[in-house]
Amino acid sequence: MLRGLLLIASMWSLSCGEAMASRAPDFALIDQNGRFHQLGRYVDKELVVVAAYQSGCARDDSVLRELASLQQRFRDAAVSFQVLVPDPDESRKSLKDLADRLGTDLPFLLDSSQLVADALSFTHCGEILVVDPARFDVLYRGGIGLYDDHPLQLALAATIPGLSSHLHYIVHSELRGEPFIQDVMPINGDPLQLAELRAARARSVSYEQDVAPILIERCLGCHSERGAAPWVMSGHQMVQGWSQMIRETLLTRRMPPGQIDYEHADRFDDVHHITDDEMSTLLAWIEKGARRNPEQPDPLVLAPSESSEWELGEPDMIVEFPAHEIPATGVLDYMFVPIELGLMEDKWVQAYEFDVDDKLSLHHIIVYTQDARQQRQNASRGGSRTNFGGYAPGREHVVLDDSTGILLKRDMRFMIQFHYTTVGRELTDRSRIGLYFRDSAPDYPLVRTAVMNGEFQIPPGVREFPVQAETVINEDSYLFSFAPHMHYRGKHIKFTLRYPDGSEDELLSIPNFQHNWQMVYRLRDPVFLPAGSRIVAEGAFDNSRFNPLNPDPTQTVGWGDQVWDEMFLTWMRISPADQPLLRN
């Protein structure tokens, strides 16, 4: 009897597979602990199980407890269990409290915009989605199917000891490569309350009034003729053609680039960020065909063109760098080039901008200053020097806080470090830097300090290798900005201020570090650092084959200059706190 039952089940599963087949879109969210999760990054797993949850829904606790139990049972297996929370009334704290109450470390992904729940077509609390993350195939959608003495369930439980739910049976079967009964279990939870999503869709969205202003504010800086983006937002037709790609990059948080944890976004100026409301507006417009009113002018076409080849306007001083001939192949060492500035008096720098000629091969530029004393010291590899600033992709210009400045003394010269990588053809780079000066001395002269660790050794194949570093602030100071730097294996990094009294403040978190976007993050309100404070950097590297940027997952990796080596370094700008902070 049982053998016949399982034979029928096996045959039925095969016939049902095509009916079940569909694809899930890629998406990314942050969990209750500030960790980044993207469906497409789970290619090291055979399955990703996602359950929809909202507080107050019927039977949600029983679903969560079963999910937590299965996570423990399959902890060492190639499956990830996650909980999607499409609820703007929830917070990281409330979800942490929920996880603590359940005694689980399940990731609870906060979907405050409700856009991900909609993209995944979730409709009810307790709804389960089982996805193959390599192909995005949906293997199962339905209820969790807690066992309740149903004859078929009893029969299955007799062959698989400890079976507790239909989801358990599916995961067990998939991981063993066995066919399974794809009978869809009923979803016993209440309908999801998606008021935020309904409100966004109910709004009348105009390209001219609603969409174009977001694109101009959030996107046009890079998607312009001289910008870093691969295509130009020259007008509506171009945006409409790229609209599905825009949707995908928003859902996966690939764009805007270099995003910090959105809970910290209001703490920083000039960050690449997009709000839930702006995302809802753009996606609603795209869903409706990404149309415009042909009788109205196109705001993207009318957007002010660049009046100068410099994004910040004409500099007060332009420093030309010598031309460098880049060969087609080979490994290039760092180059150090001294450049005399010829200043007749001391100057305070308010901003600087790099005009990079060849962004394809130029990995970075670091500008150092050398006064007369430093020029006489340690002449090898550039001599004694002080870090002034630098260029990396995404860091073309830096504007300092209005009350601050960097001192350039009249006896100083620049010592420029250039790092190029070969790209298969010969190139010539003629880059330069523009300097913008203050009219008077600032209230807060900036100096640079760093937090770094150069002692790590990342083993081959490791998916998450943690690294930590810290620096002690020896005198009362103000902290103004961060500039983190890792290479291709950099995965995430966060910074915590630990005060002398033992209290803490999480200053910045970058849950999804991207080597191609090396940003400067400038605090809107500088942070006071009492003497004895410690700034702790905690991050991780991905040296596995599942990191698409990894040059070679078979190598042990340590600190090194080249991009196939690694660095764990963050420059910070601080100023002595010898007077109260004055805000403009």
Side-chain angles (χ1 to χ4, degrees):
M1 171 67 180
L2 179 57
R3 183 179 178 184
L5 178 63
L6 293 178
L7 178 61
I8 294 171
S10 175
M11 294 174 60
W12 190 79
S13 71
L14 296 176
S15 66
C16 208
E18 294 183 4
M20 178 64 68
S22 63
R23 288 175 59 83
D26 200 3
F27 70 90
L29 288 169
I30 297 176
D31 71 14
Q32 75 273 21
N33 297 311
R35 299 297 298 270
F36 180 85
H37 298 264
Q38 182 178 344
L39 179 60
R41 298 278 184 90
Y42 280 95
V43 287
D44 57 329
K45 306 293 186 184
E46 294 182 38
L47 303 174
V48 172
V49 178
V50 185
Y53 167 84
Q54 281 183 339
S55 62
C57 278
R59 296 199 71 182
D60 258 10
D61 268 14
S62 60
V63 170
L64 293 181
R65 292 187 189 283
E66 172 66 3
L67 214 65
S69 174
L70 293 178
Q71 184 200 40
Q72 286 296 321
R73 181 183 291 267
F74 292 101
R75 183 166 291 278
D76 297 325
V79 56
S80 172
F81 295 89
Q82 304 171 6
V83 182
L84 182 71
V85 187
D87 192 340
D89 294 328
E90 293 282 8
S91 66
R92 301 264 180 88
K93 182 181 184 307
S94 67
L95 294 178
K96 274 187 179 181
D97 292 343
L98 174 61
D100 289 344
R101 178 169 62 83
L102 294 171
T104 181
D105 60 354
L106 276 169
F108 287 79
L109 313 184
L110 183 55
D111 178 25
S112 54
S113 69
Q114 304 183 330
L115 292 170
V116 173
D118 178 61
L120 295 176
S121 302
F122 277 123
T123 59
H124 285 74
C125 300
E127 189 171 351
I128 302 294
L129 199 64
V130 181
V131 182
D132 173 353
R135 298 176 302 190
F136 299 100
D137 288 341
V138 174
L139 305 176
Y140 175 77
R141 180 190 294 276
I144 198 165
L146 296 172
Y147 275 8
D148 57 6
D149 296 334
H150 185 281
L152 178 58
Q153 295 171 346
L154 291 173
L156 292 172
T159 64
I160 308 175
L163 212 61
S164 55
S165 64
H166 192 67
L167 176 62
H168 183 179
Y169 161 63
I170 291 172
V171 172
H172 171 89
S173 301
E174 272 290 326
L175 292 178
R176 293 169 64 92
E178 298 174 352
F180 62 89
I181 302 172
Q182 295 187 357
D183 195 8
V184 175
M185 297 293 107
I187 304 170
N188 296 317
D190 299 331
L192 289 172
Q193 300 302 308
L194 302 176
E196 293 287 320
L197 181 67
R198 287 197 300 271
R201 285 182 163 166
R203 291 197 302 263
S204 175
V205 179
S206 159
Y207 165 76
E208 292 77 16
Q209 301 300 319
D210 304 308
V211 172
I214 297 173
L215 300 178
I216 292 170
E217 172 69 18
R218 302 297 190 186
C219 311
L220 209 57
C222 288
H223 289 269
S224 60
E225 289 291 347
R226 290 176 53 80
W231 62 280
V232 177
M233 289 188 176
S234 54
H236 165 265
Q237 190 171 10
M238 184 67 76
V239 174
Q240 186 181 48
W242 285 95
S243 61
Q244 291 305 312
M245 176 62 75
I246 293 172
R247 179 180 185 272
E248 188 270 337
T249 59
L250 289 174
L251 285 174
T252 57
R253 299 282 175 173
R254 282 170 51 204
M255 291 287 138
Q259 293 180 53
I260 65 176
D261 185 333
Y262 24 86
E263 284 203 346
H264 296 285
D266 291 341
R267 196 168 191 172
F268 291 85
D269 273 330
D270 306 323
V271 292
H272 291 238
H273 175 63
I274 190 165
T275 67
D276 283 350
D277 187 63
E278 290 168 336
M279 282 185 62
S280 296
T281 297
L282 292 175
L283 294 186
W285 176 70
I286 290 170
E287 287 175 1
K288 295 173 183 176
R291 299 182 179 88
R292 63 163 297 217
N293 183 348
E295 297 182 1
Q296 294 188 18
D298 185 343
L300 287 184
V301 174
L302 298 178
S305 59
E306 298 166 344
S307 58
S308 167
E309 56 188 336
W310 300 89
E311 188 173 343
L312 300 180
E314 286 300 313
D316 296 312
M317 180 179 180
I318 298 174
V319 180
E320 303 280 351
F321 300 153
H324 292 124
E325 304 295 330
I326 314 303
T329 60
V331 177
L332 305 181
D333 291 332
Y334 286 19
M335 292 184 286
F336 286 87
V337 178
I339 296 182
E340 300 296 332
L341 298 177
L343 294 176
M344 303 303 293
E345 61 181 354
D346 293 351
K347 292 288 188 181
W348 287 95
V349 176
Q350 176 67 50
Y352 58 86
E353 179 177 348
F354 289 91
D355 178 23
V356 176
D357 178 39
D358 178 37
K359 294 183 178 180
L360 190 61
S361 66
L362 181 58
H363 178 263
H364 74 252
I365 296 172
I366 299 180
V367 179
Y368 300 94
T369 59
Q370 291 181 320
D371 59 23
R373 177 184 59 83
Q374 289 174 311
Q375 292 175 37
R376 296 190 296 269
Q377 295 177 332
N378 188 26
S380 66
R381 285 186 64 80
S384 177
R385 55 194 185 268
T386 300
N387 192 299
F388 172 84
Y391 159 82
R395 198 190 302 171
E396 283 79 10
H397 68 264
V398 171
V399 179
L400 305 177
D401 189 284
D402 289 343
S403 60
T404 68
I406 304 171
L407 179 60
L408 273 184
K409 293 182 178 180
R410 62 180 179 177
D411 68 339
M412 284 180 172
R413 73 180 182 186
F414 278 162
M415 177 62 71
I416 314 294
Q417 179 194 94
F418 297 91
H419 181 201
Y420 294 95
T421 56
T422 55
V423 295
R425 67 175 187 271
E426 294 182 355
L427 297 167
T428 300
D429 176 59
R430 297 181 180 86
S431 295
R432 54 186 181 161
I433 186 174
L435 304 176
Y436 302 80
F437 298 134
R438 293 178 55 93
D439 294 330
S440 60
D443 296 317
Y444 305 97
L446 292 178
V447 295
R448 295 196 96 176
T449 188
V451 55
M452 64 177 290
N453 180 343
E455 303 301 319
F456 56 85
Q457 290 288 310
I458 311 170
V462 174
R463 192 80 158 103
E464 171 125 350
F465 182 79
V467 174
Q468 182 171 314
E470 67 175 67
T471 190
V472 178
I473 307 301
N474 293 318
E475 62 176 335
D476 288 356
S477 303
Y478 293 114
L479 172 66
F480 286 86
S481 66
F482 296 88
H485 183 72
M486 295 186 282
H487 291 169
Y488 288 134
R489 297 169 178 87
K491 188 174 183 181
H492 58 79
I493 189 169
K494 72 174 181 178
F495 302 88
T496 303
L497 171 59
R498 295 180 179 167
Y499 291 98
D501 65 4
S503 59
E504 295 186 353
D505 181 13
E506 188 174 295
L507 298 173
L508 171 66
S509 176
I510 308 171
N512 178 30
F513 186 87
Q514 298 170 298
H515 168 264
N516 291 331
W517 302 100
Q518 307 276 341
M519 306 294 193
V520 173
Y521 300 98
R522 184 162 62 93
L523 285 155
R524 183 165 293 160
D525 293 309
V527 174
F528 177 62
L529 309 174
S533 297
R534 292 179 297 139
I535 296 179
V536 179
E538 299 170 280
F541 295 98
D542 181 353
N543 193 23
S544 74
R545 63 186 175 89
F546 304 108
N547 175 0
L549 297 178
N550 193 348
D552 187 351
T554 67
Q555 296 297 312
T556 298
V557 181
W559 179 281
D561 290 344
Q562 300 295 339
V563 290
W564 51 83
D565 302 315
E566 268 304 337
M567 292 185 177
F568 191 76
L569 166 67
T570 297
W571 292 104
M572 297 174 291
R573 293 196 187 273
I574 65 173
S575 178
D578 52 9
Q579 60 178 311
L581 188 64
L582 305 174
R583 305 303 298 148
N584 293 317

